[in-house]
Amino acid sequence: MWFMRQAGRSLPEYRALKGDLSILDAVERPELAAELTLQPVTRYGVDAAILFSDIMVPLVGIGIDLEVVPGKGPVIAEPFRDATDLARLRPLDAASDVPYVAEAVRIAAKELEVPLIGFAGGPFTLASYLIEGGPSRVFSRTRTLMHSEPNTWMALMDSLASVAISSLRAQILAGASAIQLFDSWIGWLSLDEYATFVLPATKRIFAGLEDLDVPRIYFGINTSDLLSRMSTAGADVIGVDWRIGIAAARERIGNERGIQGNLNPATCLGPWETVEHETARILQEASAQPGHIFNLGHGVLPETNPEVLEKVVALVHGEQNGAAL
Amino acid sequence: MWFMRQAGRSLPEYRALKGDLSILDAVERPELAAELTLQPVTRYGVDAAILFSDIMVPLVGIGIDLEVVPGKGPVIAEPFRDATDLARLRPLDAASDVPYVAEAVRIAAKELEVPLIGFAGGPFTLASYLIEGGPSRVFSRTRTLMHSEPNTWMALMDSLASVAISSLRAQILAGASAIQLFDSWIGWLSLDEYATFVLPATKRIFAGLEDLDVPRIYFGINTSDLLSRMSTAGADVIGVDWRIGIAAARERIGNERGIQGNLNPATCLGPWETVEHETARILQEASAQPGHIFNLGHGVLPETNPEVLEKVVALVHGEQNGAAL
């Protein structure tokens, strides 16, 4: 078990250590990033660490001008508009473009007694930030480009897949023993859009890591109707959000792959009795089949009381025999 | 058949008539609002009009200080924080608080040869704007209040249900021959959250219109996992977004209720062949059972070419024998 966004604003020790540094500045200091990676393992005793970083970091590395605005998200100085923007996505040379990422992985992996999970942003999610210029609720510009310039779109997916492969390979070679692809917003697509416009590049990402032989987790939210197709992408574990029960997710994903999730992060803001009940329900549903990684259904909300997560860890560890990862 | 947000920025005649007026200012001019209501019926020949208005209008009517910012959405001057804010939600007296709404309905209904659909915002969606202060992607503050102050939350839902009932009754009595409740963002909730925290107030809304005997449509996006519970709310028709096929939706909704939807609005930005194929597929799936209203799965995107929607209407009318409404 671990928690998505387990390092972050909900932890006082995170706020104390990171201070006023922007997230991108913090990521560029490998000692600091490694320390932030370790914090939630120390506090919660979770079974895995996830690298403190951001899905936009490789794009910064290849020269895309962007900020990650607290409380808002990524903001791109010059959003992508058409085929001419494709030239701005040169290949990532992880060793020279983002040397601090592998360095943070090396430092953290050496300190950790649990696995370190590396990660990258999925092609749809990264494309949506590049095209919308920031966070979006309807992805109108992104879907316009997808449908009106499918060749440009497919080239964009391919470039972003290459960036993800380079970034993930560098993290694995530096010591990450599992990876997660966060294609958080794919659940805004219809099944056909997903299968036609996003799945091919996603398959290439997972295939491009196959030789390194580490578990590959694939995550998005709102994916209830996509799960069976997502299961064909080549990942070993599929992350599911809180909208679907583990049993229903298992039916769609099959028994070949692990399932990660899916306590509702918002539940953790309420009374402990509800958190306890939901956690027990998830463990019970998941116990029908091996291959479950307990997690939230999306990242820890900033308002979360860390003590609640501590109690969730105790509860899960009390009922499980060690971690599935 | 009709299109959600069929009056709006995608129509040149809309932009010409509305000019620089804000949407809230336009709504307060009943002649103008009626004319904007008629425009898409004239252009597209759809089988129903939907009143030109905004889900925030009743809240303006009871004195909540807010703007609807173009390209962004509602922005609340002083967001709701706790139980003390409940006092700001006094009951809506539609005749004196928003007289221009019923007046626009009367004018438009007199001109129209097709049914006029009235509408209101659902309690979760309105609460989310009040609490977040504007549009949100994760509804973190909203869900925090829901879980941490359930009594405040339930009182808020109840007040917003009362506002919706008053607003919808006034529209029906002025001549609307159907209504739609837009609780667009309920799909961000888990099934338990929905059933516990939102469904009771929603049932009260639909029950509160029962005596007026008009078809009641209930719409949200991302609702694949909620559809069977939504079907218990008391609506006659359930709107579904593009994430789920009509056949799968029919399994969850049953045969007692109509289904509305669900062409992907983003598909309408792409090549006609895809639009045609998808439209035909939806009609084919829907033909297994009576009681289908053809629509998009969410509102018309502003970038949509009206000629594409004209061709969709021709296609649907060519294959259907009149409208189901």
Side-chain angles (χ1 to χ4, degrees):
Chain A
M1 74 168 298
W2 60 287
F3 299 120
M4 288 185 280
R5 213 180 298 143
Q6 61 190 11
R9 275 206 291 147
S10 61
L11 289 181
E13 60 268 35
Y14 170 91
R15 296 193 297 268
L17 188 59
K18 179 168 154 294
D20 291 334
L21 274 182
S22 77
I23 184 164
L24 294 177
D25 285 341
V27 164
E28 291 186 16
R29 293 164 162 77
E31 293 282 351
L32 175 61
E35 181 64 26
L36 293 169
T37 301
L38 300 177
Q39 279 182 346
V41 180
T42 306
R43 174 184 282 254
Y44 295 128
V46 284
D47 304 317
I50 182 157
L51 182 67
F52 176 80
S53 189
D54 189 277
I55 61 167
M56 305 306 286
V57 165
L59 298 181
V60 174
I62 61 169
I64 306 290
D65 184 7
L66 66 90
E67 278 181 283
V68 177
V69 180
K72 180 171 179 191
V75 175
I76 314 292
E78 294 175 53
F80 279 40
R81 286 286 170 258
D82 54 38
T84 62
D85 289 305
L86 289 172
R88 295 162 62 192
L89 283 180
R90 68 164 172 80
L92 174 74
D93 177 353
S96 60
D97 292 328
V98 289
Y100 41 83
V101 172
E103 184 59 20
V105 171
R106 272 187 290 271
I107 298 168
K110 210 156 82 177
E111 297 286 322
L112 282 164
E113 290 172 9
V114 295
L116 174 63
I117 303 172
F119 71 92
F124 177 75
T125 299
L126 291 182
S128 79
Y129 288 121
L130 289 173
I131 296 167
E132 305 289 337
S136 171
R137 288 190 306 159
V138 290
F139 304 102
S140 167
R141 288 199 184 94
T142 308
R143 295 156 89 198
T144 302
L145 185 76
M146 176 189 284
H147 285 279
S148 61
E149 297 189 37
N151 293 337
T152 302
W153 175 265
M154 294 309 266
L156 177 60
M157 289 294 98
D158 197 58
S159 294
L160 291 170
S162 297
V163 168
I165 293 169
S166 301
S167 171
L168 291 167
R169 289 188 72 87
Q171 292 175 63
I172 297 166
L173 295 170
S177 31
I179 62 90
Q180 178 159 321
L181 187 73
F182 285 88
D183 214 351
S184 307
W185 313 135
I186 47 173
W188 272 253
L189 299 174
S190 72
L191 185 56
D192 282 349
E193 287 175 321
Y194 171 72
T196 306
F197 294 115
V198 179
L199 185 56
T202 309
K203 283 184 172 173
R204 199 164 76 76
I205 294 172
F206 289 120
L209 307 171
E210 184 119 46
D211 60 309
L212 298 177
D213 203 25
V214 300
R216 294 155 294 179
I217 311 169
Y218 183 24
F219 172 77
I221 67 165
N222 269 339
T223 57
S224 297
D225 299 305
L226 302 182
L227 288 175
S228 53
R229 287 310 280 276
M230 287 174 69
S231 301
T232 69
D236 306 289
V237 177
I238 307 292
V240 296
D241 79 3
W242 62 90
R243 289 174 177 86
I244 188 168
I246 295 290
R250 177 59 77 191
E251 275 178 35
R252 301 178 199 187
I253 292 168
N255 293 332
E256 305 287 302
R257 263 156 281 278
I259 293 182
Q260 177 177 283
N262 66 346
L263 182 63
N264 187 341
T267 302
C268 299
L269 304 169
W272 169 246
E273 292 66 33
T274 313
V275 181
E276 186 176 32
H277 176 266
E278 285 295 290
T279 302
R281 186 185 58 73
I282 291 164
L283 292 174
Q284 170 63 31
E285 273 196 53
S287 68
Q289 195 73 31
H292 175 242
I293 301 172
F294 189 93
N295 204 319
L296 303 180
H298 201 181
V300 174
L301 292 168
E303 300 83 352
T304 309
N305 179 351
E307 288 175 21
V308 171
L309 298 186
E310 287 172 26
K311 287 164 79 176
V312 170
V313 174
L315 189 59
V316 175
H317 280 164
E319 301 208 12
Q320 282 184 332
N321 298 317
L325 196 72
Chain B
M1 74 166 299
W2 60 287
F3 299 120
M4 288 186 279
R5 214 181 296 144
Q6 61 191 9
R9 275 206 290 145
S10 61
L11 288 181
E13 61 268 35
Y14 170 91
R15 297 193 297 269
L17 188 60
K18 178 168 155 292
D20 290 335
L21 274 183
S22 78
I23 184 162
L24 294 177
D25 286 340
V27 164
E28 291 185 16
R29 293 163 161 78
E31 294 282 352
L32 175 61
E35 181 63 26
L36 292 169
T37 301
L38 301 177
Q39 280 182 345
V41 180
T42 306
R43 174 183 281 254
Y44 295 128
V46 284
D47 304 316
I50 181 157
L51 182 67
F52 176 79
S53 188
D54 190 276
I55 61 167
M56 305 307 286
V57 165
L59 298 181
V60 174
I62 61 169
I64 306 290
D65 184 7
L66 65 89
E67 278 182 283
V68 177
V69 180
K72 180 173 178 187
V75 175
I76 313 293
E78 295 175 52
F80 279 39
R81 287 287 171 257
D82 54 38
T84 61
D85 290 305
L86 290 172
R88 296 163 62 192
L89 283 181
R90 67 164 173 81
L92 175 74
D93 177 353
S96 60
D97 292 330
V98 289
Y100 41 83
V101 173
E103 184 58 20
V105 171
R106 272 187 291 270
I107 300 168
K110 208 157 81 179
E111 297 286 322
L112 281 164
E113 291 171 11
V114 294
L116 174 63
I117 304 171
F119 71 92
F124 177 75
T125 298
L126 291 182
S128 80
Y129 288 121
L130 290 174
I131 296 166
E132 305 290 336
S136 171
R137 289 190 307 158
V138 290
F139 303 102
S140 169
R141 287 198 184 95
T142 308
R143 295 156 90 197
T144 302
L145 185 76
M146 175 189 287
H147 285 279
S148 61
E149 298 188 38
N151 293 337
T152 302
W153 176 265
M154 294 310 265
L156 176 60
M157 288 294 98
D158 197 58
S159 295
L160 291 170
S162 297
V163 168
I165 292 169
S166 301
S167 171
L168 290 168
R169 288 187 73 87
Q171 293 175 61
I172 296 166
L173 294 171
S177 31
I179 62 89
Q180 177 159 322
L181 188 72
F182 286 87
D183 214 350
S184 307
W185 312 134
I186 47 173
W188 271 253
L189 299 173
S190 72
L191 185 56
D192 282 349
E193 287 174 322
Y194 171 72
T196 306
F197 293 115
V198 179
L199 184 56
T202 309
K203 283 183 171 173
R204 198 164 77 75
I205 294 171
F206 289 120
L209 307 172
E210 184 119 46
D211 61 309
L212 297 178
D213 203 25
V214 301
R216 296 155 293 180
I217 310 169
Y218 183 24
F219 172 77
I221 67 165
N222 269 339
T223 57
S224 296
D225 299 306
L226 303 182
L227 288 174
S228 53
R229 286 311 280 276
M230 287 174 68
S231 302
T232 70
D236 306 289
V237 177
I238 307 292
V240 296
D241 79 3
W242 62 89
R243 289 174 177 85
I244 188 166
I246 295 289
R250 178 58 78 190
E251 275 178 36
R252 300 178 199 188
I253 292 168
N255 293 332
E256 304 289 302
R257 262 156 280 278
I259 294 182
Q260 177 175 281
N262 65 349
L263 183 63
N264 187 340
T267 301
C268 299
L269 305 170
W272 169 247
E273 292 66 33
T274 314
V275 181
E276 185 175 32
H277 176 266
E278 286 295 290
T279 302
R281 186 185 58 72
I282 290 164
L283 293 174
Q284 169 63 31
E285 273 195 54
S287 68
Q289 194 75 29
H292 175 241
I293 300 172
F294 188 93
N295 205 318
L296 304 180
H298 202 181
V300 174
L301 293 169
E303 300 83 352
T304 308
N305 180 349
E307 289 175 21
V308 172
L309 298 186
E310 287 172 26
K311 287 163 79 176
V312 171
V313 174
L315 190 59
V316 175
H317 279 165
E319 301 209 11
Q320 282 185 332
N321 297 318
L325 197 72

